[in-house]
Amino acid sequence: MAEGNQDNKSSNQMWGGRFASGPAAIMEEINASIGFDKKLYAQDIRGSIAHATMLAQKGIISAEDKDKIVHGLNTIRGEIESGQFQFSRKLEDIHMNIEARLAELIGPAAGRLHTARSRNDQVALDFRLWVKEELQKTESLLSDLIKAFLDRAEDHADTVMPGFTHLQTAQPVTFGHHCMAYVEMFGRDRQRVRHAIEHLDECPIGSAALAGTGYPIDRHMTAEALGFREPTRNSIDTVSDRDFALEFLSIAAISATHLSRLAEEIVIWSTPQFGFIRLSDAFSTGSSIMPQKKNPDAAELVRAKTGRINGSLIALLTVMKGLPLAYSKDMQEDKEQVFDAAESLELALAAMTGMIRDLTVRADRMKAAAGSGFSTATDLADWLVREAGLPFRDAHHVTGRAVALAEQKGCDLAELSLEDLQAIHESITADIYNVLTVEASVASRKSYGGTAPAQVRRQIAWWRARN
């Protein structure tokens, strides 16, 4: 399309006879969406080809016009993908840009393409197709991240580390078990993605402006051609809602929150004070002034992306919250938020998968930390309940006295002598030392979903069968 040719046309040409003069420059600026919705070109062309094919099949347009339309649209696709297509702001959006170029290529036959449809159902179709494809990409990226965690969990099903509550040492766990916690989180994210695909898998085209059309179209045929399960069932809802975009943004925000929590742990774990992991050079940077620094910039940026994604969700919720049915131009503000969130989420998922695959686990530092903070105190209390028959509250009190004594002596619970422990409660025997090591502690947590290495491996096997 020659930009100059379009500029020579009156800017109100697309509006028809209702407007005597073109929009003012400020109206043109606020009204145009081509700067961002050109991203939908492939979906727009794909939808138009399916629509034209259906129109010809139903005898609404001739086969000859259909062939011209399809050939012209494929030509335009090639022009866009080769960078030869010139987009015009005066033509507002991707739909009018393509339609105007089609008219230049094939003449009057181009005008028949818009039979039995509106830009309202056309944009709803394009956007649904784009979001569906993006959800499929997200599902694949989540599967890659889950696989990276499964590999890590399998390698470290026996690697002991401290488990935390309130970021204070709580009980020993295994690094494999900790990894599997993220598998569960991202697995739920992936399930939400699959549900979202199912929810939006309905074809909007044929709903027209809001009331449907009087032409004898076959919406099931178009839906099948475009890979949808079925057509939408209410034309007003079809053109006026964007809950499929909101659902995508909701999923993105939840997944980004999981990524942010993981990023925070990576930042903490990679500090010299923790030293649980070492990030590869590929996902770290140095300092411009401090040569000893190795900064976890990739993790920090993943953490920050959550703010952008959450902002996109709130923005679109706010756009949609007060709109009467059916279509309102406010809905033009839907795409930039979704495009930005999708790009941020894709990048964050890919970066995190790379970090998990490349990081070095420092098992020695994890094990040393696992025994700190009297992390086996609960094991002592459980032993007193199980072996000595104490009520748990009494066992809790006895264990607290043992912790106070170990703290006073500057040693771990396992380093207290039997005499020290029996002075606190006479029922304690030498068998107590079988549960006071971190290895014994994690091995004892055999309940379903627990941190015992055998349970971790059981969960890994369950997920591998489903990933």
Side-chain angles (χ1 to χ4, degrees):
M1 175 192 305
E3 181 78 19
N5 290 343
Q6 292 304 324
D7 289 344
N8 290 335
K9 298 177 180 178
S10 77
S11 59
N12 70 312
Q13 189 171 19
M14 73 190 80
W15 300 85
R18 170 65 180 83
F19 293 88
S21 61
I26 193 166
M27 179 59 187
E28 181 180 309
E29 184 67 22
I30 198 172
N31 196 46
S33 60
I34 190 60
F36 52 86
D37 72 10
K38 61 186 177 183
K39 189 184 286 282
L40 299 174
Y41 79 88
Q43 291 77 21
D44 196 73
I45 291 171
R46 182 180 165 201
S48 290
I49 289 174
H51 183 65
T53 302
M54 180 276 296
L55 292 175
Q57 184 72 25
K58 298 299 293 182
I60 299 170
I61 66 173
S62 69
E64 180 183 2
D65 281 346
K66 184 266 290 185
D67 291 342
K68 288 180 181 178
I69 289 168
V70 171
H71 177 73
L73 290 170
N74 284 327
T75 300
I76 292 169
R77 190 204 315 268
E79 290 177 349
I80 294 174
E81 292 177 351
S82 65
Q84 298 175 19
F85 192 95
Q86 296 185 44
F87 294 98
S88 169
R89 288 180 62 79
K90 292 186 182 299
L91 291 171
E92 290 188 16
D93 56 30
I94 187 62
H95 323 298
M96 297 307 299
N97 269 263
I98 289 175
E99 187 173 322
R101 177 58 175 153
L102 187 64
E104 290 182 350
L105 289 172
I106 68 172
R112 297 186 173 88
L113 173 59
H114 210 54
T115 305
R117 75 175 184 185
S118 161
R119 277 197 292 179
N120 293 356
D121 61 340
Q122 189 177 357
V123 70
L125 171 65
D126 294 357
F127 202 21
R128 276 194 190 231
L129 284 171
W130 193 93
V131 171
K132 183 179 179 181
E133 291 168 14
E134 193 60 35
L135 284 165
Q136 290 165 341
K137 290 181 192 175
T138 303
E139 181 181 11
S140 178
L141 287 166
L142 284 166
S143 293
D144 289 344
L145 181 55
I146 290 169
K147 173 64 163 56
F149 267 117
L150 289 173
D151 291 343
R152 282 295 181 181
E154 194 158 47
D155 291 342
H156 294 281
D158 297 285
T159 299
V160 178
M161 69 174 289
F164 299 95
T165 61
H166 309 278
L167 204 56
Q168 304 292 316
T169 301
Q171 293 176 282
V173 296
T174 66
F175 184 58
H177 192 53
H178 199 99
C179 288
M180 291 304 294
Y182 283 108
V183 169
E184 295 289 336
M185 291 184 207
F186 293 118
R188 289 191 296 274
D189 291 340
R190 187 175 63 181
Q191 196 62 28
R192 278 185 277 269
V193 167
R194 290 170 176 170
H195 289 159
I197 293 172
E198 181 181 352
H199 296 159
L200 68 71
D201 206 16
E202 299 174 347
C203 184
I205 203 70
S207 297
L210 79 160
T213 179
Y215 291 96
I217 62 173
D218 185 342
R219 294 190 64 209
H220 288 84
M221 175 183 172
T222 315
E224 183 178 357
L226 291 169
F228 287 103
R229 182 181 65 247
E230 59 188 336
T232 55
R233 287 177 295 278
N234 183 280
S235 58
I236 295 176
D237 173 64
T238 298
V239 301
S240 63
D241 205 1
R242 292 293 184 269
D243 56 0
F244 64 90
L246 287 168
E247 189 165 18
F248 171 77
L249 289 175
S250 300
I251 292 166
I254 294 170
S255 187
T257 299
H258 290 153
L259 288 166
S260 186
R261 297 184 72 182
L262 173 57
E264 174 71 5
E265 294 204 312
I266 288 174
V267 170
I268 293 171
W269 291 348
S270 62
T271 61
Q273 291 76 16
F274 271 74
F276 286 1
I277 62 170
R278 186 182 294 112
L279 290 176
S280 71
D281 292 346
F283 293 98
S284 306
T285 64
S287 166
S288 63
I289 191 173
M290 294 169 284
Q292 83 282 9
K293 295 288 294 298
K294 187 173 185 180
N295 299 323
D297 282 13
E300 291 169 353
L301 289 167
V302 166
R303 189 173 57 187
K305 292 291 185 186
T306 307
R308 290 182 66 153
I309 293 171
N310 288 350
S312 294
L313 172 59
I314 295 301
L316 187 53
L317 283 168
T318 306
V319 166
M320 297 301 300
K321 73 173 184 62
L323 299 186
L325 300 181
Y327 181 82
S328 297
K329 194 67 179 236
D330 310 51
M331 292 160 65
Q332 183 168 288
E333 293 296 315
D334 56 2
K335 295 167 201 64
E336 285 183 286
Q337 306 301 333
V338 173
F339 293 160
D340 186 77
E343 183 178 343
S344 294
L345 183 61
E346 278 188 45
L347 189 56
L349 286 168
M352 191 56 75
T353 301
M355 277 185 278
I356 296 303
R357 290 197 183 283
D358 286 1
L359 64 80
T360 300
V361 176
R362 302 182 66 185
D364 56 333
R365 293 293 295 266
M366 286 186 174
K367 181 178 179 181
S372 66
F374 311 108
S375 63
T376 58
T378 304
D379 297 275
L380 173 55
D382 287 344
W383 186 92
L384 288 166
V385 171
R386 187 173 59 251
E387 302 297 331
L390 272 67
F392 184 80
R393 286 302 172 196
D394 292 345
H396 189 283
H397 179 71
V398 171
T399 301
R401 291 176 59 194
V403 168
L405 179 60
E407 196 168 37
Q408 178 185 336
K409 291 193 168 203
C411 66
D412 292 331
L413 286 173
E415 294 172 328
L416 290 174
S417 68
L418 182 59
E419 291 75 14
D420 287 334
L421 292 168
Q422 287 177 335
I424 296 170
H425 200 280
E426 68 280 359
S427 64
I428 296 176
T429 70
D431 288 344
I432 194 66
Y433 295 104
N434 292 330
V435 302
L436 290 184
T437 66
V438 291
E439 291 86 357
S441 175
V442 298
S444 71
R445 307 294 173 182
K446 297 177 182 178
S447 58
Y448 184 83
T451 194
Q455 281 297 324
V456 173
R457 292 188 176 94
R458 181 180 181 181
Q459 295 304 321
I460 292 169
W462 189 91
W463 273 101
R464 285 209 188 279
R466 289 158 178 79
N467 195 44

